[in-house]
Amino acid sequence: MKTRVTELLGIEYPIIQGGMAWVAEYNLAAAVANAGGLGLIGAGGAPAEFVREQIRKTKELTDKPFGVNIMLMNPEADAIAQVIVDEGVKVVTTGAGNPGKYMAMWKEAGVKVIPVVASVAMAKMMERGGADAIVAEGTESGGHIGSATTMTLVPQVVDAVSIPVIAAGGIADGRGFAAAMMLGAEAVQMGTRFVVAKESIVHDNYKKKVIAAKDIDSEVTGMSHGHPVRQLRNNMTREYLKLEKEGASFEELEHLTLGALRKAVVEGDAVNGTLMAGQIAGLVKKEQTCAEMIQEIMKEAGELLHK
Ligand code: TUI
């Protein structure tokens, strides 16, 4: 399937893997790239030199295009922005902020820039700043989220900009893919389904929780201090939401979450760790290779779109 996004990125299928902190490391990025999608390394809160190593390791596993996602709240974001240029990475996506200050250096280096946004205003601002495409991410997504749903956000962003739009949030199968195309998107970004990929290094306890999750098993923490994060309900979310309700300070809550994502992904602490996942987790039923996932989605979507 050809769209402006497959042309822009030189990929076979219009499927982009989410830039999930801790989860989106080189094994997953390379597996998605080799399966014909766009693989991403999620820099999350990692130091710049760690990201450089991840880029080099990805290159050893694939000669297909891949990108890096920068979480803009990372204190090392400036250094990571430079690593992307130095290592010749072709695509960058950004999250949790405004990448405006890096746009000129990336464009000059020929890097394709795809900001992830949660509003029409931000999408327009990014287009004016020179973005090549935009990910419109609905509140169904896991991790740090905005408030608009994918169903409402995607068509409004499509109408507001001329650059290609990639839909994210609540998409995990061929039906979601086809629906996103109907809303005017030219690719989808998926995170939650790739968490349970065979090539994903996520701890088995975390994968099991995603596979067991039902439709209403996620909670949004951090709403009170302006950093809403969607994750699966567990002891951590119950504790967090209780403290938040009692008016705990940002610092207190931060203390609770510090390192909690690593605890879940690496150590498999599904009780006190942060199990970031989207609302579509209820649809994710089994571990498969990235190639199996992408093939299945494209086949199902092809049949639906043909009908
Ligand atoms: O960035 C994401 N999702 C993320 S980042 C992340 S790491 C993290 N860990 C713990 C706590 C908080 C974050 C986990 N998930 N998605 C892309 C996204 N970006 N969604 C919404 C936004 C966004 C929000 C505000 C983009 C721009 C923005 O602009 C603010 C401004 O500067 O005007």
Side-chain angles (χ1 to χ4, degrees):
M1 182 183 285
K2 262 192 187 170
T3 71
R4 284 190 292 168
V5 174
T6 58
E7 297 292 295
L8 175 75
L9 304 176
I11 53 176
E12 198 173 347
Y13 305 113
I15 296 181
I16 294 170
Q17 168 230 317
M20 304 163 281
W22 287 103
V23 175
E25 48 67 76
Y26 72 97
N27 290 292
L28 187 64
V32 173
N34 285 330
L38 185 79
L40 287 180
I41 296 162
E49 285 314 307
F50 181 81
V51 179
R52 193 191 301 280
E53 281 167 33
Q54 291 281 313
I55 294 166
R56 293 183 177 173
K57 286 177 174 163
T58 309
K59 283 179 186 163
E60 284 171 19
L61 297 184
T62 186
D63 51 13
K64 300 260 179 72
F66 67 92
V68 171
N69 171 272
I70 302 195
M71 204 278 283
L72 294 164
M73 292 189 302
N74 184 333
E76 293 210 22
D78 287 1
I80 298 168
Q82 187 60 48
V83 164
I84 283 165
V85 173
D86 295 345
E87 297 296 318
V89 173
K90 300 284 187 292
V91 188
V92 63
T93 71
T94 65
N98 182 347
K101 69 171 174 168
Y102 309 119
M103 210 69 107
M105 75 184 263
W106 285 334
K107 301 296 292 179
E108 202 173 309
V111 183
K112 304 281 186 258
V113 185
I114 310 182
V116 180
V117 302
S119 70
V120 167
M122 197 68 176
K124 285 163 98 168
M125 195 195 296
M126 293 299 104
E127 180 178 49
R128 277 198 304 276
D132 295 281
I134 203 98
V135 176
E137 190 185 85
T139 194
E140 296 91 323
S141 306
H144 180 72
I145 50 172
S147 56
T149 59
T150 302
M151 179 77 104
T152 58
L153 181 67
V154 173
Q156 293 186 77
V157 171
V158 167
D159 284 351
V161 300
S162 334
I163 51 176
V165 176
I166 298 155
I171 302 166
D173 66 6
R175 292 171 298 179
F177 179 103
M181 296 295 131
M182 291 294 118
L183 296 176
E186 295 185 58
V188 300
Q189 178 182 279
M190 297 198 317
T192 303
R193 186 151 179 197
F194 285 127
V195 169
V196 307
K198 284 204 170 129
E199 298 91 340
S200 149
I201 52 76
V202 169
H203 195 286
D204 219 37
N205 295 351
Y206 192 149
K207 289 187 179 179
K208 285 200 173 100
K209 287 289 179 188
V210 171
I211 286 168
K214 295 191 204 59
D215 53 353
I216 54 172
D217 282 348
S218 75
E219 296 273 19
V220 179
T221 60
M223 201 72 99
S224 64
H225 54 76
H227 290 290
V229 171
R230 184 180 301 284
Q231 52 192 295
L232 296 180
R233 186 180 303 109
N234 62 2
N235 191 53
M236 158 64 135
T237 60
R238 272 187 282 270
E239 191 68 16
Y240 193 112
L241 291 169
K242 181 169 158 277
L243 286 172
E244 209 175 357
K245 211 167 163 188
E246 289 166 5
S249 69
F250 178 65
E251 286 70 28
E252 261 179 280
L253 293 168
E254 273 299 277
H255 182 71
L256 191 69
T257 48
L258 222 58
L261 182 58
R262 197 199 78 90
K263 220 193 274 179
V265 175
V266 181
E267 293 168 23
D269 186 346
V271 178
N272 292 308
T274 298
L275 301 165
M276 290 190 194
Q279 288 183 322
I280 204 67
L283 207 79
V284 175
K285 292 280 178 248
K286 58 178 186 288
E287 228 178 312
Q288 288 170 303
T289 65
C290 293
E292 285 165 349
M293 290 177 179
I294 291 176
Q295 288 301 322
E296 189 178 290
I297 291 166
M298 292 312 301
K299 181 168 180 288
E300 187 184 9
E303 286 164 6
L304 289 170
L305 293 167
H306 185 68
K307 261 205 281 193

